């Protein structure tokens, strides 16, 4: 049986989430790099459009089927490989995990995503583009910090790693990239620090991926 294939870009936070989930689940996979920058972006080439018409990463090919969008991919992995679990058994806690995932995956990340920033770039300089990203990340983190005050333990929801954590770490990575001041978000920072101690998260780091430029590799 062939390994599943993950189409990924080292710096893509959406791909990063799925890499963490695959590592947590202990699933071996083939990594296919999709350079989102070079030559106008490989995601815009016909070969990749045939894989994902949305021209985004990740795409996950398994058992002859292609899945796109990080959250459904992680949901699939949880249903297909239920142990170790990345969703709690309790219904309210499961909903809370999904709430955090949506805040990040729908409310923060898309507004500072490469596609949006490239459009904004046509209207502004690099500094203004970075300020755009910082504004939206900061806005989302203000809400997220308050939410985590009510549901977090060692990690986002209690003391077990969940899909929420797999969304948090890449978003903090984006925040650091855009030089967001993290001092107003001590809880987000503390949880992120705890998660970065885990091997599954370390292996998923952008700076340990095969397509990471040599000068950026950890």
């Amino acid at each position: 049986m062939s390994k599943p294939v993950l189409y990924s870009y080292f710096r893509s936070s959406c791909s990063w989430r799925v890499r963490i989930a695959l590592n947590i689940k202990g699933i071996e996979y083939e990594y296919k790099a999709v350079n989102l920058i070079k030559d106008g972006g490989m995601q815009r080439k016909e070969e990749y459009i045939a894989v994902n018409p949305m021209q985004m990463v990740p795409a996950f090919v398994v058992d002859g089927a292609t899945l796109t969008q990080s959250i459904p991919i992680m949901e699939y992995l949880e249903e297909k490989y239920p142990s170790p679990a990345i969703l709690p058994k309790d219904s309210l806690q499961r909903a809370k995990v999904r709430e955090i995932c949506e805040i990040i995956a729908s409310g923060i990340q898309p507004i500072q995503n490469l596609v949006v920033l490239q459009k904004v770039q046509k209207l502004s300089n690099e500094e203004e583009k970075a300020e755009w990203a910082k504004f939206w990340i900061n806005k989302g983190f203000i809400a997220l910090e308050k939410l985590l005050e009510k549901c977090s333990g060692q990690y986002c929801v209690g003391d077990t790693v969940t899909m929420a954590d797999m969304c948090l770490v890449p978003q903090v990575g984006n925040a650091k990239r855009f030089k967001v001041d993290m001092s107003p978000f001590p809880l987000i920072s503390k949880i992120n620090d705890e998660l970065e101690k885990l091997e599954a998260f370390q292996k998923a780091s952008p700076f340990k991926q095969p397509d990471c430029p040599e000068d950026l590799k950890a």
Side-chain angles (χ1 to χ4, degrees):
M1 188 173 177
S2 60
K3 293 180 183 178
V5 176
L6 178 66
Y7 289 85
S8 175
Y9 179 57
F10 80 103
R11 194 169 252 161
S12 158
S13 55
C14 299
S15 301
W16 190 348
R17 298 169 195 156
V18 175
R19 295 195 301 261
I20 297 169
L22 288 164
N23 292 343
I24 289 284
K25 297 287 188 182
I27 299 167
E28 293 186 4
Y29 62 96
E30 180 184 351
Y31 187 107
K32 285 197 175 182
V34 180
N35 193 313
L36 303 184
I37 306 296
K38 186 178 178 181
D39 299 328
M42 289 175 59
Q43 75 276 20
R44 298 187 175 95
K45 308 300 183 186
E46 287 187 14
E47 181 182 354
Y48 187 70
I49 293 173
V51 176
N52 184 1
M54 277 295 286
Q55 304 174 40
M56 295 177 175
V57 290
F60 187 65
V61 180
V62 59
D63 295 339
T66 301
L67 301 174
T68 66
Q69 303 297 323
S70 61
I71 304 300
I73 294 171
M74 291 193 291
E75 294 267 10
Y76 165 81
L77 294 174
E78 175 69 348
E79 293 176 12
K80 182 75 172 179
Y81 309 96
S83 181
I86 56 175
L87 281 171
K89 291 182 179 179
D90 178 77
S91 297
L92 277 175
Q93 285 197 321
R94 288 170 80 92
K96 187 58 65 176
V97 167
R98 289 178 168 128
E99 179 185 358
I100 294 168
C101 289
E102 286 300 320
I103 286 173
I104 294 171
S106 299
I108 303 175
Q109 189 271 338
I111 311 173
Q112 52 89 147
N113 195 19
L114 177 63
V115 174
V116 173
L117 290 180
Q118 286 175 333
K119 187 69 173 176
V120 173
Q121 187 177 23
K122 294 177 182 179
L123 306 174
S124 60
N125 58 39
E126 288 294 316
E127 184 177 344
E128 289 173 337
K129 185 177 72 167
E131 286 302 315
W132 168 283
K134 286 170 68 174
F135 173 84
W136 291 108
I137 295 171
N138 189 73
K139 184 176 186 295
F141 275 9
I142 290 171
L144 184 59
E145 182 80 7
K146 290 187 177 301
L147 190 155
L148 291 172
E149 288 173 2
K150 298 178 181 179
C151 67
S152 66
Q154 186 174 8
Y155 305 122
C156 284
V157 179
D159 298 322
T160 303
V161 173
T162 67
M163 285 171 47
D165 302 296
M166 296 165 199
C167 290
L168 181 77
V169 168
Q171 192 56 53
V172 173
N174 286 343
K176 292 178 179 177
R177 178 183 171 196
F178 289 112
K179 297 180 171 56
V180 172
D181 178 10
M182 293 297 294
S183 62
F185 313 117
L187 195 47
I188 291 174
S189 298
K190 174 176 142 325
I191 294 168
N192 183 76
D193 289 346
E194 286 298 315
L195 290 164
E196 286 188 335
K197 296 174 184 177
L198 304 178
E199 183 181 8
F201 284 78
Q202 293 171 0
K203 286 173 60 179
S205 165
F207 310 112
K208 293 187 177 180
Q209 303 314 303
D211 57 329
C212 178
E214 287 298 323
D215 61 329
L216 295 178
K217 282 192 174 178

